Amino acid sequence: MITAARGSTLTARNWQTEAALRMFHNNLDPDVAERPDDLVVYGGTGKAARDWPSFHAITRELTGLSEDETLLVQSGRPVGVMRTHEWAPRVLIANSNLVGDWATWPEFRRLEAQGLTMYGQMTAGSWIYIGTQGILQGTYETFAAIAAKRFGGTLRGTLTLTAGLGGMGGAQPLAVTMNGGVALVVEVDPDRARRRVETRYLDELATDLDAAVARVERAKREGEALSVGVIGNAAEVLPELLRRGVDVDIVTDQTSAHDPLAYLPRGVELGDWSDYAATKPDEFTDRSRESMAEHVEAMLGFLDGGAEVFDYGNSLRGEAKLGGCERAFDFPGFVPAYIRPLFCEGKGPFRWAALSGDPADIAATDRAILELFPENESLARWISLAGERVAFQGLPARICWLGYGERHLAGVRFNEMVASGELSAPVVIGRDHLDCGSVASPYRETEAMADGSDAIADWPLLNAMVNTASGATWVSIHHGGGVGIGRSIHAGQVTVADGTALAGQKIERVLTNDPGMGVIRHVDAGYPEAASVARERGVAVPMDR
Amino acid sequence: MITAARGSTLTARNWQTEAALRMFHNNLDPDVAERPDDLVVYGGTGKAARDWPSFHAITRELTGLSEDETLLVQSGRPVGVMRTHEWAPRVLIANSNLVGDWATWPEFRRLEAQGLTMYGQMTAGSWIYIGTQGILQGTYETFAAIAAKRFGGTLRGTLTLTAGLGGMGGAQPLAVTMNGGVALVVEVDPDRARRRVETRYLDELATDLDAAVARVERAKREGEALSVGVIGNAAEVLPELLRRGVDVDIVTDQTSAHDPLAYLPRGVELGDWSDYAATKPDEFTDRSRESMAEHVEAMLGFLDGGAEVFDYGNSLRGEAKLGGCERAFDFPGFVPAYIRPLFCEGKGPFRWAALSGDPADIAATDRAILELFPENESLARWISLAGERVAFQGLPARICWLGYGERHLAGVRFNEMVASGELSAPVVIGRDHLDCGSVASPYRETEAMADGSDAIADWPLLNAMVNTASGATWVSIHHGGGVGIGRSIHAGQVTVADGTALAGQKIERVLTNDPGMGVIRHVDAGYPEAASVARERGVAVPMDR
Ligand SMILES: NC(=O)c1ccc[n+]([C@@H]2O[C@H](COP(=O)([O-])OP(=O)(O)OC[C@H]3O[C@@H](n4cnc5c(N)ncnc54)[C@H](O)[C@@H]3O)[C@@H](O)[C@H]2O)c1
Ligand SMILES: NC(=O)c1ccc[n+]([C@@H]2O[C@H](COP(=O)([O-])OP(=O)(O)OC[C@H]3O[C@@H](n4cnc5c(N)ncnc54)[C@H](O)[C@@H]3O)[C@@H](O)[C@H]2O)c1
């Protein structure tokens, strides 16, 4: 069983490598990872290391690495150590990348079976997954945006229907109840559902569909905030709920649809899943796509009935289309629908983790955030809700969406707190790959860009290079996260606040340039909001001078 | 008309940005570029900047950029300037990158027509093209390898048949005659052919096919080294030569087959080419693929007759296969056939250019190379042949293949020569993207890898990141160079030797780590030659400790 070291004593040679080591191990902590024995962290088969020999070699290399060396990781396997310099990242990571014509699931799986690659998802292979909280604020903000758009600012008295209670999907019920609404969540695997109850993301698990429906209808009527899980296959339960005419207000989904082998087709037993998928991947894929088509048909039924329906970034529409559902793209993805205006300000899922392991350190950073941005009410609401309701998994961590001009203030402040002893050990500051300027993903982050540049993938590569050039501690470039192989390219960065003056300079550069990529990406695509942000906050845009 | 500034006076604020500026302009010098008015440098439509406004903005930004700022270039358009630090690259470039499912020529062209991207080829969009010499040594080494393998060490008395006299293809006749052989080169565009005669890459141009055949057959008989060009379409001329039973020993091709719109189909007039391709790209593509299939059928005929036949890295086999030629992949690509053993040693097309514009600076570096590696005979032969026979284009430059443990010695020496005044101004040191550890390209550089990892694209991304982290002056990541959209991902780096101690350190790091990527990439793929190089020269390989 792997857990990250805690406390303020180094096990590696410096805090930069200690940080990478602790976060790498933290990703595989049984409280954090979905299937740590298989090195799987979250999101289908998103892994932290290719195999156990690679795990041990990475651990050994990080333990011995000096302040001017850099470890290279190729799809979860350590392949080199090179002498660089003290401003350089300590780890450079490239996961799951394939040349375009070969960027398909079957080819990926063929190479994976030969031990040549692994699926890195987003924060799994880049060592900054922090458990379900990681997606919680994004989900909370998304539902808050829907509440604002359609329901007068609150989800009170509304019913949200969704599926998937995995590592990310598990955030949905809590995000709905934090917005005052009722959630009904379909999950095929009882263990997953129980885990969400244990970690307080899900309020209760119904014994069957009738009970679930009765419970959520009453809560909706009474304006109670409540989340109910029900065991079943989404491809069966959603059509059934549509037939019954249940009055649903919002429909989405977070099963692992990005990987057809990680979505259970109708009529397949839970116990047969892994064997069947492993032995007959093509047949399984056909069947899961067919089921996704039926699943999406039901969502379209709710759409036609007036519900707010959206794809929550798992490629469900794309796979359903391949399964024969012509109208799959009739409802939008969540980014163009609710998130893009935030991206134009350089906002995205900023996060940090306390390497001490001490929740008091996060409490101190929470207070610091409130002091830094006193005028930001929704941020204040989130920070206090999170303090009350979020159970930490592994190293204590916090997420909140901050924009250009804000992130570096928080980072520099945290670094000062480490220096002054207000925090008991260094913290790492990173983000999801799902950020404003770090992804090309035409079914999700870059869906329906104003200028049609959805598929242009230069941006995440520039993002990785500029973070490498700005002093990030580790930087990663991944392929296929979120929406699956062939459908996305994205980059991540994590920077250590160890209290030194050098770390302060690096943090200032990285946390300016990284969200700066989001601003310039959206300026370039023609978003006037982004152009104003650039002008007002001083982001240099050569073609606009 | 654009030419790079010469001499030792700065036009920008420091030598790092001056170097980028001069090399950017040099790429568009009419003596260097194939179609400078369209910003096209070489290789079909490989461009240095997206459009003229971008050209002017890049020029302006580079002129004003400070020593701790970095310019970001997205497919030939400047999109940002960010504050970094003095070890960071001054320019970061990402060209032509698309998400996998969208990585096709039609989608690329649709986006290009909207002004959203450009084709960067390899050294066009990364500002280190040095004219036809750039490919000359690689081609020379390739033919030398064939001579060694099949013809007792010389091409004397052999006939090589090939096509394409463009920016790269123009190197073929000279490379053959430098190896003592006879070359017959088919080119459809008389202007291109004449240009090669003017620059002394091609000895003569025949009036018609009969004259050409008579001339090369006599030269072959008499053991004369001679290159003859003939105007015609390869898809017609090669089948005709096969029918006539001309005794050809070696067959290859370097038309722009990677881009079906840049290969002229049989039966289309030269004058109609660009209009036809622009107005009916799909029909044109079908026809050019059909022609390539006939072209390759003829090559297979020569193969069956016992000739040495290989694909010279232009995707001709891939396109011919799409055009219906089933056996297209019956002959190998040149990398697995001749070049991979060099890659295992970290060898590749190392090159440098004299920013002074003074040929004497290159002569001095030539002498330095001979002094540094006195035991390397083939290198000595190349350097003296190049000194005699290579006409400089634009800024004087030199190319030679050096490996791990050699490149940094040359770079550090050049930097000392700048410091001491032996050179009259700084030099830039770079390479082609076609290098040992910087490309994923299953039809070319990574064809038939020992472990089947041809399509794994993590390596070029790690290469770009580690160069960014080692002190390179500009770094680029491109998609689709050489073999076309969807078929490759590759990275480039250029580092300035300005005579400072800091530049010396950067050069030492970059020119160790960059070829080091080639060594570890081939160790990881299971090449024992690479494993020996790593052991003997001290390249750290974590999984082998
Ligand atoms: N929107 C975002 O911001 C975002 C972020 C990260 C990941 N994602 C995507 O969300 C999806 C879920 O991620 P995750 O980490 O929760 O994955 P996960 O693999 O941990 O969980 C998926 C869950 O879906 C369940 N499931 C599979 N098929 C089902 C079916 N037919 N009916 C009901 N339940 C079924 C599984 O049992 C599992 O519990 C992935 O596709 C991921 O790529 C979205
Ligand atoms: N092997 C290598 O190391 C290497 C390096 C760089 C580029 N390349 C590839 O080599 C190819 C040539 O590159 P380039 O820079 O010379 O390109 P280019 O566009 O400058 O020249 C191509 C030439 O082919 C001619 N041509 C086109 N169709 C023809 C036909 N049917 N018959 C006869 N001639 C025809 C054109 O007129 C042109 O002169 C490209 O595909 C490029 O990607 C290979």
Side-chain angles (χ1 to χ4, degrees), chain A residues 9-87:
Chain A
T9 308
L10 286 174
T11 65
R13 291 172 65 176
N14 56 71
W15 275 106
Q16 293 176 66
T17 50
E18 181 77 25
L21 190 58
R22 290 192 188 185
M23 294 308 293
F24 173 47
H25 288 178
N26 192 57
N27 260 16
L28 292 168
D29 185 312
D31 283 347
V32 176
E34 296 292 311
R35 291 194 281 121
D37 295 344
D38 301 326
L39 295 154
V40 169
V41 182
Y42 80 102
T45 55
K47 290 169 80 171
R50 192 165 330 159
D51 46 34
W52 286 104
S54 297
F55 170 83
H56 293 298
I58 291 171
T59 298
R60 186 190 62 229
E61 297 298 329
L62 286 175
T63 306
L65 208 70
S66 327
E67 231 138 24
D68 68 348
E69 287 181 323
T70 297
L71 171 67
L72 307 182
V73 177
Q74 182 259 320
S75 290
R77 178 176 155 103
V79 292
V81 172
M82 295 188 174
R83 178 140 180 256
T84 53
H85 53 76
E86 61 171 6
W87 269 90

Side-chain angles (χ1 to χ4, degrees), chain B residues 34 41-45 119 121-122 129 135 139 163-170 186-189 192-193 196 232-235 253-259 262-266 270 273 291 295 311-315 334 432 434 444-445 480-484:
Chain B
E34 296 292 310
V41 183
Y42 80 102
T45 54
Y119 186 54
Q121 256 290 9
M122 292 197 145
Y129 184 68
I135 202 177
T139 311
L165 286 168
M168 300 276 96
V186 186
E187 164 60 58
V188 86
D189 181 347
R192 297 295 194 107
R196 299 315 147 202
N233 191 311
D253 178 68
Q254 216 163 40
T255 57
S256 267
H258 71 278
D259 176 354
Y263 179 100
L264 191 67
R266 221 161 44 76
L270 191 63
W273 188 345
S291 285
H295 182 165
D311 176 311
Y312 203 16
N314 62 353
S315 247
F334 72 111
D432 197 356
L434 186 177
R444 199 163 96 175
E445 288 84 345
V483 287

Side-chain angles (χ1 to χ4, degrees), chain A residues 43-44 121 167-169 187 233-234 256 258 264 312 314 434 444 482:
Chain A
Q121 256 289 8
M168 299 277 97
E187 164 61 56
N233 191 310
S256 267
H258 71 278
L264 190 68
Y312 203 16
N314 61 353
L434 186 177
R444 198 163 97 177

Side-chain angles (χ1 to χ4, degrees), chain A residues 358-414:
Chain A
D358 186 350
D361 280 354
I362 292 300
T365 55
D366 280 352
R367 286 190 300 273
I369 290 286
L370 296 175
E371 281 162 26
L372 274 172
F373 309 108
E375 69 299 334
N376 188 333
E377 281 176 33
S378 82
L379 178 66
R381 190 169 43 135
W382 159 255
I383 291 286
S384 58
L385 273 172
E388 284 163 30
R389 310 230 7 204
V390 170
F392 292 133
Q393 297 169 256
L395 291 173
R398 181 65 72 230
I399 183 162
C400 71
W401 283 45
L402 291 179
Y404 185 91
E406 296 173 336
R407 294 194 202 184
H408 74 282
L409 296 179
V412 167
R413 179 77 191 96
F414 295 170

Side-chain angles (χ1 to χ4, degrees), chain B residues 86-125:
Chain B
E86 61 170 6
W87 270 89
R90 296 287 71 84
V91 192
L92 294 170
I93 299 171
N95 283 328
S96 326
N97 297 285
L98 293 175
V99 178
D101 281 1
W102 289 261
T104 64
W105 274 117
E107 181 65 13
F108 177 81
R109 275 195 260 272
R110 202 180 63 75
L111 293 165
E112 191 184 27
Q114 287 176 42
L116 296 171
T117 188
M118 72 159 200
Y119 186 54
Q121 256 290 9
M122 292 197 145
T123 52

